[in-house]
Amino acid sequence: MRQKTENYDVVVCGGGLAGFCAAVAAARHGARTCLVQDRPVFGGNSSSEIRVTPHGAAAFHAYARETGILSELLIEERAINHEIVLENGWTNSVWDMVMYDMAVKTPNLTFHLNTPVYQVEMKDDRTVKAVIARVANGETDIAITGHTFIDCTGDGIIADLAGCEWRMGSEGKDEFQEPHAPLQASKDTMGNSIHFKAKDVGYPVPFELPDWAVHYDDAAFFYKQGRPPYDIRGGYWWLEIGIPWDTIHDAEDIRHELTRHTLGVWDWIKNKDPETRELAANYAIDWIGQVPGKRESRRIIGEYFMNEHDVLNRKVFEDEIAFGGWFLDLHTPGGLLAPTSEPNSAAGYSGEYNVKSYCGPYGVPLGICLSKDVDNLMMAGRNVSVTHAALGTVRVMGTTALMGQAVGTAAALALTRQIPVKAMAKEYSGELKQALLRDGCFLPNNRNEDEADLARQAKVTASSEASTYGVGPWSKHAGKLLLKSWGETKPKKLQLDRVEEWADRMDVPRGQWIAIGSSELSKVSVCLTNTSGTVQQIGARLVKVNGIWDYRSETGEVLAATELVVPSGEMQWIEWEVALSGLTAPSYVRLDLDGNEHIVWHRSEGLEPGQVSGWDMGNGQMRGNAYSLTYRVEPAQPCYSPENVISGVTRPREHTHLWRSHPQDPGTPWLQLDWDEVKTIREIHLTFPGHLLSEYHWYPPFYRDPQCARDYAIEAWVDGAWQELVRVKGNYQRQRKHELAVPVATGRIRAVFHATNGDPSAALYEIRCY
């Protein structure tokens, strides 16, 4: 056996999304970094070996997509990949190569694939000295020493070998009084899953179930126990088994059982289910995963132990370094072997359990990523310091990738300052948060306060400014086509239950967030259909809200209220003279309509940026949608001001935080910074809109967000003329950082937008200058 020794500043063990983002972040901040991965590809559960789509907060909250390194990767994958991405099972090797390409191109980063860690050497009881890893099929052991170690192995392998305290199983309700905790503590964990991909081959093909596979014959197992075959192409998260097996030590037994069950499920879909067998006639299994994805195993005890109450109450942490917003998704122990699947699915995603499981967006503290027992060991991923109940939301890959970027950044900053890494959660937490914001991350309770950012001192002007007038409805033809395409691979009983005009029936109260840019609002209109044949009335209110994620059904401040009279008929604009003045601007108000099953509120054909809708879940809480309902406002609201680009926030929150040019801007749109005195500029950062609204698997192949600037330039006013500093063509990334070859002394900088990727308006969330 060949022996090697390597030395680094930061050693990251585990190359899933958390570990990958940790390693890239540390290397970008100047630390000599080594990433050690036991598999042949990066990505962990998201890789082409396992094919779980990265989920995150945007599944439940509009404009809550995770940004930073993860966003760079996902934007790149959608821009160059020819394949669609379903919820699970359809990830291909393009995604693996996107990650590999970034790893190769990142200075200061060394990586070892196919190299599991099997031993930890300690310098003393509280300090890791080295990890020992073996190159698979390479007959080589590598002793990797480092200053700081980051455990992103999922199973907490490094922490376990280093002697750290950990938990595995479920806390009982008596410990923290968590709403989702079982009455008694147990060893129960969520299970492992494999996925499959079915392909349309264009003609009928048979499938014969092997005799060693599981036979399914009961429709209730699928349709009444929360396991609906919602798309015959694959994507079933409920192909899951955990207990009675141990998710770590019995992983191979679980893999075999999952294979037996997956084949049986396909046999049901293909040959037995009257809802799917006709749809599945031309489909054949193209791929079945043989590397199970894990949801839960060891949770390492850290400096802070986060519980469900922190999540539900959106606790504000001084050391906030990430955010989450996936629901409290606690799968039933046993998975396929249990009486029902995940409780929310079994309940049809409605009712009391659904309401109490909805959470976020909430902040995540650095303290859950710092080992309590070892001073130079950090964690990121599903092995962080949280209860079983809290793990239900923080475990998804969008959230864990943010943790990874944060711990990698913290490790590198601590090295630069020559301080213990745990100090980054205390006296240096402000510096860490500002570094993360500068690198494109979003922190829900923080904004840009970087004193070095010269843009914050500037006056901002622009060539023009868009206003919001409202949005009109889908046409009948477009709505029918969309519904038809959505239902082609789905059983009839699982297709969308909506009227043909692509609208929402008012079976529950619904609301529309409207951005306010002036102190006056005289009239509001909505496009409604009355299906009853008689005149109907529906209650309407304009309420003040704190922001786009203020989901309170009753916010405590009603600005105006009325009863709208709706004649029988289709797609009618119903007007309301609200005559409001003295409104706070910029801000949001929400237009709420009461429930009336005879009324339909039409969705908008387009989305006015930053203005979305929601519906009342019950128990005083609404849930957001990633689309707008129709509305009109008078006067038009100037809610896309140039000053928004230095507001310190790079997505809709308290208001739109976005500058948009007028769509009929007669010239080339520009946005300009002016200072009272000459500044020396060395670096300019731009953050464009796009890739925030929804989860990434909703976006098609070769997608480039229309709102994002494609061709642009940065110019400086020098010697009485505009001098071009930067020229970019073909951009589709959200954040671009430009280091100038030669610093420029100027009192004016402007960004000039020559073309977007399709939107008629140029737009920008933020500009920074250093």
Side-chain angles (χ1 to χ4, degrees):
M1 185 70 67
R2 186 173 64 167
Q3 309 289 330
K4 291 174 61 179
T5 299
E6 297 177 358
N7 179 259
Y8 300 93
D9 298 323
V10 176
V11 180
V12 182
C13 300
L17 285 179
F20 187 88
C21 292
V24 170
R28 286 181 175 180
H29 280 273
R32 293 179 303 109
T33 305
C34 181
L35 175 57
V36 189
Q37 164 72 330
D38 63 348
R39 302 302 305 172
V41 291
F42 297 118
N45 282 346
S46 77
S47 74
S48 65
E49 289 192 308
I50 301 174
R51 304 192 182 186
V52 177
T53 302
H55 281 302
F60 297 91
H61 310 282
Y63 290 102
R65 253 279 289 274
E66 294 77 14
T67 48
I69 294 169
L70 175 64
S71 181
E72 294 176 45
L73 292 165
L74 295 178
I75 291 171
E76 184 68 21
E77 188 275 342
R78 283 293 78 196
I80 67 173
N81 200 340
H82 61 279
E83 186 70 275
I84 63 170
V85 177
L86 301 183
E87 186 175 15
N88 296 303
W90 277 62
T91 303
N92 62 16
S93 292
V94 174
W95 171 238
D96 300 335
M97 288 298 102
V98 166
M99 299 188 74
Y100 196 86
D101 180 68
M102 180 179 284
V104 170
K105 290 179 177 177
T106 300
N108 302 315
L109 178 60
T110 300
F111 58 85
H112 296 288
L113 296 173
N114 296 303
T115 307
V117 173
Y118 69 90
Q119 184 179 336
V120 169
E121 289 186 2
M122 302 294 290
K123 180 179 179 181
D124 53 49
D125 289 345
R126 299 193 61 87
T127 310
V128 175
K129 177 184 177 183
V131 295
I132 313 299
R134 179 161 295 168
V135 181
N137 300 317
E139 297 187 2
T140 301
D141 278 359
I142 310 175
I144 306 171
T145 63
H147 184 277
T148 303
F149 293 81
I150 304 175
D151 187 340
C152 299
T153 60
D155 288 336
I157 295 169
I158 310 306
D160 179 47
L161 292 172
C164 295
E165 180 185 353
W166 51 267
R167 292 187 178 192
M168 187 167 172
S170 303
E171 287 79 12
K173 189 174 287 288
D174 61 339
E175 187 168 6
F176 298 105
Q177 292 76 49
E178 296 171 298
H180 283 78
L183 290 177
Q184 301 296 325
S186 72
K187 295 182 179 180
D188 292 351
T189 63
M190 292 178 279
N192 302 351
S193 286
I194 64 173
H195 299 291
F196 73 89
K197 174 185 177 182
K199 183 178 181 180
D200 186 350
V201 298
Y203 52 84
V205 286
F207 174 76
E208 183 176 344
L209 184 67
D211 57 7
W212 50 266
V214 175
H215 292 251
Y216 283 103
D217 297 295
D218 183 8
F221 177 84
F222 298 96
Y223 292 106
K224 293 185 178 180
Q225 297 178 17
R227 304 180 185 96
Y230 45 79
D231 192 317
I232 59 173
R233 297 170 294 178
Y236 305 150
W237 54 264
W238 45 259
L239 289 170
E240 171 186 3
I241 293 176
I243 62 168
W245 291 279
D246 182 291
T247 56
I248 296 176
H249 301 105
D250 299 326
E252 270 299 288
D253 294 324
I254 293 174
R255 180 200 57 76
H256 175 65
E257 288 301 312
L258 283 168
T259 304
R260 295 176 63 236
H261 283 268
T262 299
L263 290 169
V265 167
W266 178 246
D267 177 60
W268 166 262
I269 293 168
K270 176 80 174 172
N271 297 325
K272 299 176 182 178
D273 187 352
E275 294 289 336
T276 61
R277 61 191 179 196
E278 183 178 340
L279 285 171
N282 291 0
Y283 279 80
I285 290 286
D286 190 61
W287 174 85
I288 294 180
Q290 289 295 285
V291 181
K294 292 184 181 179
R295 291 179 177 85
E296 181 179 12
S297 54
R298 298 186 186 98
R299 295 171 282 117
I300 313 307
I301 304 302
E303 291 292 313
Y304 185 80
F305 194 53
M306 188 176 182
N307 64 51
E308 182 182 350
H309 296 292
D310 296 330
V311 170
L312 293 177
N313 297 329
R314 299 191 199 182
K315 182 175 180 178
V316 177
F317 296 97
E318 182 61 32
D319 59 337
E320 178 180 271
I321 45 85
F323 75 97
W326 187 256
F327 78 113
L328 283 151
D329 184 9
L330 295 163
H331 291 213
T332 306
L336 290 167
L337 309 182
T340 66
S341 69
E342 186 272 321
N344 215 359
S345 176
Y349 296 102
S350 62
E352 182 181 348
Y353 193 91
N354 186 43
V355 174
K356 81 170 186 176
S357 300
Y358 192 61
C359 62
Y362 57 85
V364 174
L366 181 62
I368 69 169
C369 302
L370 300 170
S371 165
K372 173 178 69 71
D373 300 316
V374 175
D375 294 331
N376 68 336
L377 180 63
M378 310 176 79
M379 306 88 71
R382 59 180 174 84
N383 56 357
V384 293
S385 181
V386 298
T387 63
H388 168 80
L391 185 69
T393 173
V394 303
R395 64 182 173 83
V396 293
M397 286 183 280
T399 308
T400 61
L402 296 181
M403 295 182 207
Q405 180 165 354
V407 298
T409 302
L413 293 180
L415 280 163
T416 300
R417 281 195 165 273
Q418 297 184 327
I419 58 174
V421 71
K422 290 185 177 181
M424 298 308 298
K426 298 175 183 177
E427 56 265 42
Y428 293 97
S429 64
E431 179 182 344
L432 174 58
K433 290 185 287 189
Q434 290 303 312
L436 292 170
L437 293 172
R438 187 166 58 249
D439 290 340
C441 295
F442 171 72
L443 301 176
N445 298 293
N446 293 271
R447 63 175 64 230
N448 175 20
E449 296 175 345
D450 189 348
E451 295 181 358
D453 177 13
L454 299 175
R456 298 174 64 228
Q457 307 170 17
K459 176 185 177 182
V460 189
T461 56
S463 58
S464 64
E465 174 184 341
S467 295
T468 183
Y469 296 82
V471 281
W474 279 90
S475 66
K476 291 184 180 181
H477 177 66
K480 287 179 179 178
L481 287 178
L482 204 154
L483 283 173
K484 181 178 183 295
S485 67
W486 195 92
E488 284 175 347
T489 61
K490 294 168 175 60
K492 289 182 180 179
K493 69 167 59 180
L494 297 175
Q495 291 184 22
L496 292 177
D497 180 22
R498 300 189 182 107
V499 296
E500 64 182 13
E501 291 85 6
W502 197 242
D504 288 349
R505 189 169 294 280
M506 297 299 295
D507 50 351
V508 295
R510 298 182 185 274
Q512 171 66 40
W513 277 257
I514 299 173
I516 298 298
S518 69
S519 61
E520 294 186 358
L521 183 61
S522 59
K523 182 190 291 185
V524 175
S525 307
V526 290
C527 186
L528 305 177
T529 285
N530 176 356
T531 62
S532 71
T534 62
V535 174
Q536 294 287 322
Q537 289 190 323
I538 188 167
R541 289 172 306 284
L542 274 171
V543 300
K544 186 175 181 179
V545 289
N546 295 332
I548 199 169
W549 300 319
D550 185 347
Y551 297 131
R552 297 171 296 163
S553 297
E554 303 291 338
T555 66
E557 187 168 350
V558 177
L559 302 173
T562 193
E563 290 282 330
L564 298 179
V565 177
V566 187
S568 179
E570 294 186 350
M571 301 180 77
Q572 306 168 85
W573 282 99
I574 309 300
E575 297 182 348
W576 175 19
E577 299 283 349
V578 294
L580 289 174
S581 60
L583 296 175
T584 301
S587 66
Y588 281 109
V589 297
R590 195 176 69 222
L591 172 60
D592 290 345
L593 299 189
D594 292 338
N596 182 327
E597 62 181 8
H598 302 297
I599 302 296
V600 170
W601 191 350
H602 290 268
R603 294 187 183 190
S604 64
E605 188 163 1
L607 178 73
E608 190 76 358
Q611 303 184 61
V612 293
S613 61
W615 55 279
D616 197 314
M617 302 174 67
N619 199 31
Q621 183 166 314
M622 299 187 78
R623 174 173 170 174
N625 298 317
Y627 58 82
S628 293
L629 296 167
T630 52
Y631 71 96
R632 291 173 180 166
V633 292
E634 295 181 19
Q637 295 296 309
C639 55
Y640 302 113
S641 165
E643 288 82 3
N644 285 342
V645 301
I646 57 171
S647 68
V649 181
T650 56
R651 66 180 69 202
R653 194 171 71 180
E654 306 90 351
H655 58 94
T656 65
H657 291 289
L658 177 69
W659 167 72
R660 295 185 80 212
S661 70
H662 194 284
Q664 279 83 47
D665 192 323
T668 302
W670 51 263
L671 180 134
Q672 183 171 315
L673 302 181
D674 286 85
W675 290 275
D676 293 334
E677 57 186 13
V678 171
K679 303 290 184 183
T680 300
I681 308 295
R682 296 175 174 83
E683 191 170 340
I684 300 168
H685 301 180
L686 301 173
T687 301
F688 303 110
H691 299 282
L692 288 177
L693 180 65
S694 303
E695 288 204 292
Y696 111 102
H697 65 85
W698 287 108
Y699 296 94
F702 300 120
Y703 181 77
R704 285 125 196 260
D705 198 295
Q707 302 169 86
C708 186
R710 187 190 72 194
D711 305 331
Y712 65 91
I714 300 173
E715 300 175 346
W717 186 259
V718 179
D719 297 332
W722 287 107
Q723 175 184 321
E724 188 170 277
L725 307 176
V726 174
R727 183 78 175 214
V728 174
K729 292 185 176 181
N731 175 62
Y732 48 81
Q733 281 289 345
R734 180 175 185 268
Q735 187 189 45
R736 296 296 302 268
K737 295 182 177 182
H738 298 288
E739 294 186 21
L740 304 181
V742 178
V744 61
T746 183
R748 298 180 189 172
I749 289 281
R750 72 177 184 179
V752 182
F753 299 81
H754 295 285
T756 68
N757 282 285
D759 196 289
S761 292
L764 192 67
Y765 274 122
E766 183 175 72
I767 183 169
R768 293 180 180 226
C769 297
Y770 295 95

